[in-house]
């Protein structure tokens, strides 16, 4: 499955990663398994052990998140330094007695999966670190659920078999419902029920689309690579893509199937909101990019006009709804849904620029929205409320918290210097090159909307007259560490976007080369200089 292509020596760290990759190829396949297994082992050990000291529970939880986080960064370094040129690397193939049905455990990473895999490791570590020091009741149960979610996320974005891709998503999704119901804010049980209904329905429609894709492709198994080599008859492509678009669209909060998301994120405990909004919600768009778009080009063309309208609905309609919010967390939940519209617009453009920019946008959005939910939770703890009209002047007593929140909000808006800027820029460029350049002008309104609600939130919470008592002082170091972790990667990719754009572009070029004559390959490469 893996083809290793040599690249010219660049010295330093690249040589180090390449040497390790060439010397211990089997080790890296085991690391892919360990990234899934270690969180599960830690969750199981916490579940079956008797009464444990709080320090042991916390250390166990941190280890369960630290190991997959470090593995994701290590494998990214090996992949970037070893010249895989968009191919799958670190293969794991295991027969589980289901091979007669075309099902086998098949793991690996290509340039499209790699950003999401790293995102899972980074945000998972940040969410785990924040949960450990949050002081929440029944901490051990929360860590167990978060570790299960983390294991599922590492499995989702390393799966090559589409049924295991689906299975790991469901595995990661279940803890979300439980955490909302137990630790959520007011109205949590109703919100948990709504989220369960919406996401279960979306997951079932997605499963129907994946099974239909397998049946009508004539492929020998559910392997993504085998499915891309198969041919689906043009009349079937529209129906199958429609199922996948609706199913994935519900899971990723595509307008008008989005109503579950803002309330879910505003109600969920911060670590759960960080993991779901930051990572798990990317499942739907990743599935469209990795599975639907390369295999069903005619279906993409059939649904493109409707997709454009729905994506603009995310940007404009949800954008205006976001501007009307008073609750800080509810505003961030709506803003998260709004920005998914940009990624869908990148897919609508159906060019290597659009696809590559959408991936970079999703990576950056995952970091920034996780950071914003973390900081919003700190604001709620300090100010006693999330109502922006009842908070004010926090910046005078919490200047570090204010600085981090301002940086996170500016990143979300798309300020140059942060990773979000490159994703939005690439999407806008790809829209201008389509047959509907007017969509660009409408999409640009979203920048103005983001600036209005973002700057208003900063002014309401941190400036002006103090409207309440500040409890707990400025953001603590234990809260600051996960926040700085997320901010560091936003700045790293903002300054050096080629770390992501190069492997993504290689995989887009390889994956989509034969998918459709309208695909811009390779003249539209999304490749950025340092």
């Amino acid at each position: 499955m893996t083809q290793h292509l040599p690249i010219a020596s660049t010295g330093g760290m690249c040589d180090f990663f390449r040497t390790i990759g060439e010397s211990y190829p089997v080790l890296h396949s085991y690391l892919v398994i360990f990234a899934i297994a270690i969180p599960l082992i830690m969750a199981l050990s916490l579940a079956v052990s008797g009464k444990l000291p709080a320090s042991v529970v916390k250390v166990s939880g941190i280890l369960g998140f630290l190991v997959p986080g470090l593995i994701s960064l290590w494998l990214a370094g090996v992949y970037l330094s070893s010249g895989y040129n968009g191919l799958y690397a670190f293969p794991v193939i295991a027969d589980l007695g289901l091979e007669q049905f075309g099902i086998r455990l098949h793991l690996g990473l290509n340039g499209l999966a790699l950003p999401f895999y790293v995102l899972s490791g980074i945000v998972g570590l940040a969410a785990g670190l924040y949960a450990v020091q949050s002081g929440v009741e029944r901490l051990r149960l929360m860590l167990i659920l978060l570790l299960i979610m983390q294991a599922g996320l590492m499995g989702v974005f390393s799966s090559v078999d589409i049924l295991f891709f689906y299975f790991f998503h469901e595995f990661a999704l279940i803890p979300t419902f439980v955490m909302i119901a137990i630790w959520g804010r007011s109205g949590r049980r109703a919100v948990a029920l709504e989220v369960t209904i919406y996401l279960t329905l979306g997951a079932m429609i997605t499963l129907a689309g994946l099974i239909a894709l397998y049946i009508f492709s004539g492929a020998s198994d559910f392997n993504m690579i085998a499915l891309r080599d198969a041919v689906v008859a043009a009349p079937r492509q529209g129906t199958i893509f429609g199922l996948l678009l609706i199913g994935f669209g519900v899971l990723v909060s595509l307008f008008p199937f989005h109503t579950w998301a803002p309330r879910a994120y505003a109600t969920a405990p911060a670590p759960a909101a960080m993991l779901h909004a930051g990572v798990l919600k990317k499942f739907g768009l990743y599935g469209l990019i990795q599975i639907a778009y390369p295999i069903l080009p005619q279906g993409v063309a059939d649904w493109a006009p409707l997709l454009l309208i729905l994506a603009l609905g995310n940007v404009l309609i949800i954008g205006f709804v976001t501007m009307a919010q008073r609750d800080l967390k509810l505003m961030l939940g709506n803003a998260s849904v709004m920005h998914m519209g940009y990624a869908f617009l990148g897919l609508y453009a159906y060019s290597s620029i659009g696809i590559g920019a959408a991936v970079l946008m999703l990576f950056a959005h995952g970091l920034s929205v996780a950071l914003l939910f973390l900081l919003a939770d700190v604001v709620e703890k300090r100010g006693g409320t999330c109502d922006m009209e009842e908070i004010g002047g926090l910046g005078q007593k919490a200047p570090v918290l204010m600085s981090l929140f301002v940086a996170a909000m500016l990143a979300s808006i798309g300020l140059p210097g942060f990773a979000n800027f490159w994703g939005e820029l690439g999407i806008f460029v790809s829209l201008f090159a389509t047959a509907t350049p007017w969509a660009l002008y409408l999409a640009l309104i979203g920048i103005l909307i983001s600036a209005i609600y973002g700057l208003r939130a900063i002014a309401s919470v941190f400036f002006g007259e103090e409207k309440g008592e500040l409890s707990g002082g400025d953001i603590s170091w234990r809260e600051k560490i996960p926040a700085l972790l997320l901010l560091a990667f936003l700045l790293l990719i903002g300054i050096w976007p080629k770390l992501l754009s190069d492997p993504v572009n290689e995989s887009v070029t390889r994956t989509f080369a034969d998918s459709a004559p309208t695909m811009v390959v390779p003249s539209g490469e999304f490749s950025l200089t340092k």
Side-chain angles (χ1 to χ4, degrees):
M1 181 182 68
T2 303
Q3 181 181 348
H4 182 81
L5 302 178
I7 59 174
S9 176
T10 56
M13 189 59 70
C14 287
D15 280 344
F16 172 73
F17 278 115
R18 185 171 58 253
T19 300
I20 297 296
E22 292 173 347
S23 302
Y24 306 101
V26 177
L27 169 64
H28 297 111
S29 295
Y30 282 118
L31 289 179
V32 174
I33 299 175
F34 292 160
I36 302 171
I38 295 300
L40 284 179
I41 291 171
M42 300 311 296
L44 182 62
S45 65
L46 288 174
V48 301
S49 59
K51 187 175 181 180
L52 294 171
S55 59
V56 175
V57 172
K58 292 179 179 180
V59 170
S60 300
I62 290 173
L63 285 176
F65 294 105
L66 181 62
V67 171
L70 293 177
I71 287 175
S72 69
L73 294 176
W74 176 266
L75 293 180
V78 174
Y79 192 97
L80 293 172
S81 304
S82 298
Y84 287 104
N85 289 4
L87 293 164
Y88 276 94
F90 323 126
V92 176
I93 304 175
D95 291 330
L96 303 176
L98 299 172
E99 53 273 11
Q100 65 268 32
F101 302 107
I103 304 171
R104 51 176 52 85
L105 179 64
H106 195 170
L107 307 176
L109 295 171
N110 68 349
L112 289 173
L114 189 67
F116 298 95
Y117 191 76
V118 174
L119 180 66
S120 301
I122 297 170
V123 175
L125 178 57
L129 290 173
Y130 186 69
V132 162
Q133 59 78 51
S134 63
V136 68
E137 295 182 1
R138 304 170 70 182
L139 174 62
R140 180 160 71 167
L141 177 58
M142 175 176 277
L143 290 176
I144 290 170
L145 293 170
L146 288 172
L147 286 166
I148 292 172
M149 198 171 180
Q150 180 70 30
L153 289 171
M154 303 310 290
V156 163
F157 297 115
S158 60
S159 291
V160 181
D161 183 283
I162 62 173
L163 285 190
F164 275 97
F165 165 75
Y166 177 86
F167 166 78
F168 280 119
H169 172 263
E170 298 305 290
F171 192 74
L173 189 59
I174 293 172
T176 305
F177 311 143
V178 180
M179 284 188 280
I180 292 175
I182 296 177
W183 293 282
R185 297 199 296 172
S186 176
R188 57 185 178 272
R189 295 186 184 278
V191 172
L193 179 61
E194 179 187 20
V195 172
T196 301
I197 293 172
Y198 261 98
L199 297 188
T200 301
L201 179 61
M204 295 305 297
I205 296 173
T206 299
L207 180 60
L210 293 175
I211 293 175
L213 177 62
Y214 168 71
I215 292 174
F216 292 108
S217 70
S220 58
D221 56 38
F222 285 91
N223 182 293
M224 291 183 190
I225 302 170
L227 286 168
R228 288 173 191 160
D229 293 335
V231 177
V232 179
R236 306 279 189 184
Q237 288 196 22
T239 301
I240 297 172
F241 184 83
L243 286 172
L244 293 177
L245 178 62
I246 295 172
F248 282 136
V250 172
L251 298 176
V252 82
S253 63
L254 175 65
F255 179 85
F257 314 113
H258 67 284
T259 53
W260 63 269
R263 287 194 293 271
Y265 300 145
T267 306
M274 291 168 67
L275 270 177
H276 196 287
V279 187
L280 189 58
K281 192 166 72 168
K282 310 302 184 286
F283 168 83
L285 278 156
Y286 172 77
L288 289 174
I289 295 170
Q290 190 81 283
I291 301 171
Y293 266 62
I295 303 171
L296 306 168
Q298 186 57 52
V300 173
D302 292 345
W303 285 82
L306 179 59
L307 177 60
L308 174 61
I309 294 172
L310 299 184
L312 289 173
N314 274 76
V315 173
L316 298 177
I317 297 176
I318 309 305
F320 287 119
V321 171
T322 306
M323 290 173 57
Q325 302 305 312
R326 291 176 44 183
D327 184 283
L328 179 60
K329 287 187 175 180
L330 196 56
M331 185 207 77
L332 294 178
N334 279 282
S336 174
V337 174
M338 171 194 172
H339 280 86
M340 289 299 95
Y342 287 123
F344 276 109
L345 288 173
L347 299 194
Y348 164 78
Y350 205 9
S351 66
S352 58
I353 294 179
I355 300 292
V359 173
L360 186 51
M361 172 71 189
L362 291 170
F363 179 86
H365 174 270
L367 295 174
S368 60
V369 77
L371 178 56
L372 283 168
F373 276 117
L374 185 159
L375 296 173
D377 196 62
V378 177
V379 168
E380 185 177 29
K381 290 178 179 178
R382 300 301 189 271
T385 180
C386 268
D387 190 330
M388 291 185 287
E389 295 187 4
E390 297 180 7
I391 312 175
L394 290 187
Q396 300 177 32
K397 295 183 178 180
V400 178
L401 173 59
M402 178 185 69
S403 300
L404 290 172
F405 191 90
V406 170
M409 186 59 73
L410 293 178
S412 178
I413 293 172
L415 186 74
F418 294 99
N420 309 62
F421 168 76
W422 298 112
E424 292 185 10
L425 176 63
I427 289 168
F428 294 149
V429 170
S430 68
L431 281 176
F432 185 74
T434 65
T436 52
W438 54 265
L440 169 63
Y441 310 131
L442 293 177
L444 287 172
I445 298 174
I447 296 179
L448 179 61
I449 294 173
S450 298
I452 291 173
Y453 70 68
L455 296 177
R456 187 197 66 175
I458 292 171
S460 298
V461 174
F462 295 101
F463 294 95
E465 180 184 354
E466 293 185 41
K467 298 179 181 179
E469 293 294 327
L470 177 67
S471 60
D474 205 345
I475 185 171
S476 68
W477 267 107
R478 290 182 298 174
E479 295 167 325
K480 202 182 299 181
I481 289 173
L484 290 174
L485 174 67
L486 296 170
L487 183 60
F489 279 93
L490 280 169
L491 290 169
L492 175 64
I493 302 303
I495 296 170
W496 197 3
K498 281 176 69 69
L499 279 174
L500 284 186
S501 67
D502 279 357
V504 168
N505 183 69
E506 289 166 357
S507 281
V508 168
T509 301
R510 182 174 296 276
T511 301
F512 289 86
D514 300 322
S515 69
T518 57
M519 188 68 187
V520 182
V521 178
S523 61
E525 289 183 352
F526 183 59
S527 183
L528 301 168
T529 59
K530 292 183 183 180

